[in-house]
Amino acid sequence: MLAVAAQTLAITAPVFAMLFLGVALKRLRWIDTPFIDTASSLVFRGTMPTLLFLGVVKADLDAAMQPQLLTYFFLATTASFFVAWAWAIWRVPFEDRGIYTQGAFRGNNGIVGLALATSMYGDYGLSVGSLLAALVILCYNALSAVVLAIYSPGAKPGARAIVRSIVSNPMIIGVLLAVPIAYWKIPLPQWFLTSAEYFAQMTLPLALICIGGTLSLASLRRSSGTAIGSGMMKMVWLPLLSTSGAWLLGFRGADLAILFLYFASPTAAASFVMARAVGANHELAAAIIVITTLAAVVTTNIGLLLLQWGGWI
């Protein structure tokens, strides 16, 4: 387990490094609020849709095609969204319900989950993990767009407004453009793919620097209660429920472990980008990302230890 702990720390440490770099750059006044606004908009409208586009285009849809595994992951993710939303309606102030819900169900599968799955199970982990990540991208963005449209300041939560927020979401557009290309294996020019990769590689560092630039002790104190609640939902209760459901349905071995790693991934940086884009409480979104990323070092290893102890993986 020490090896797994080291792997988890190696994956999450660079995330924290970029977060703290954002804090330092803001304190040094190398970046300011207008820069963070512009950079966040660039990530939301450009670099992240490009990253998602490339992720789907490069995914081998024929490899590790397991309908039962994919179906369960999709249904469990959707159920997690509604569990988190129902809890938010009961316990969270109206204006923060969208941020709480998104932070509690939206995992960083493409970075943390996929890296750990590949590290533990090699090519099998990579192929299954890539397929799971590609599947859930649309689910994450569509459900997040819905809940943020309902609770964002000044939003008009009618059916037409919600549909508009979904179909106009740049991340969803990026995925939808990529699906037919991946399905029919349409070749793209190498110069285009290389240029797109250069552009997409800015996504995570730029998003994390913006999150760090937004953080402050005052904002963390203001958001601490709600952020910890969302973090507990994301890192403890929903992974416990979803993984238990997978175990009851008979998933074992690498499949169960990969499902757990994806359910237990910390909140994705995209949640901050989307929150800022719609004028929601992005400070709360940033706090949830920090808390869940820190918690992942502990909860992921405890979960794997328990699964190994039970002889299920």
Side-chain angles (χ1 to χ4, degrees), residues 140-155:
Y140 277 161
N141 286 288
L143 294 176
S144 295
V146 169
V147 77
L148 289 174
I150 292 173
Y151 295 110
S152 296

Side-chain angles (χ1 to χ4, degrees), residues 1-13 116 119-120 296-302 304-305 308:
M1 288 307 299
L2 288 177
V4 177
Q7 292 166 4
T8 309
L9 185 60
I11 293 165
T12 56
L116 286 174
S119 178
M120 291 184 66
V297 179
V298 177
T299 57
T300 301
N301 288 284
I302 291 176
L304 289 173
L305 179 63
Q308 288 182 346

Side-chain angles (χ1 to χ4, degrees), residues 107-282:
N108 193 350
N109 295 334
I111 304 298
V112 178
L114 182 59
L116 286 174
T118 304
S119 178
M120 291 184 66
Y121 295 104
D123 290 340
Y124 181 76
L126 177 62
S127 59
V128 173
S130 297
L131 210 55
L132 290 175
L135 170 72
V136 83
I137 285 171
L138 269 178
C139 181
Y140 277 161
N141 286 288
L143 294 176
S144 295
V146 169
V147 77
L148 289 174
I150 292 173
Y151 295 110
S152 296
K156 299 178 180 179
R160 183 176 297 180
I162 292 174
V163 171
R164 188 184 301 115
S165 70
I166 294 173
V167 299
S168 63
N169 186 295
M171 298 185 209
I172 294 177
I173 293 172
V175 173
L176 292 178
L177 289 175
V179 168
I181 296 174
Y183 183 77
W184 284 300
K185 299 180 180 178
I186 301 172
L188 295 174
Q190 187 58 46
W191 68 264
F192 174 82
L193 292 174
T194 302
S195 300
E197 285 175 359
Y198 289 160
F199 189 56
Q201 285 170 359
M202 293 191 293
T203 301
L204 192 60
L206 196 56
L208 292 173
I209 286 173
C210 290
I211 294 169
T214 302
L215 287 174
S216 66
L217 290 177
S219 67
L220 285 174
R221 281 195 296 267
R222 285 195 303 270
S223 306
S224 60
T226 305
I228 291 172
S230 182
M232 285 290 291
M233 183 72 74
K234 179 69 191 74
M235 303 308 297
V236 179
W237 304 122
L238 292 180
L240 180 60
L241 290 173
S242 300
T243 307
S244 298
W247 179 83
L248 289 172
L249 290 175
F251 290 102
R252 296 291 186 274
D255 289 344
L256 182 61
I258 292 170
L259 284 171
F260 165 74
L261 290 172
Y262 273 54
F263 292 137
S265 292
T267 303
S271 62
F272 169 84
V273 176
M274 283 191 68
R276 197 171 186 105
V278 299
N281 187 352
H282 57 274

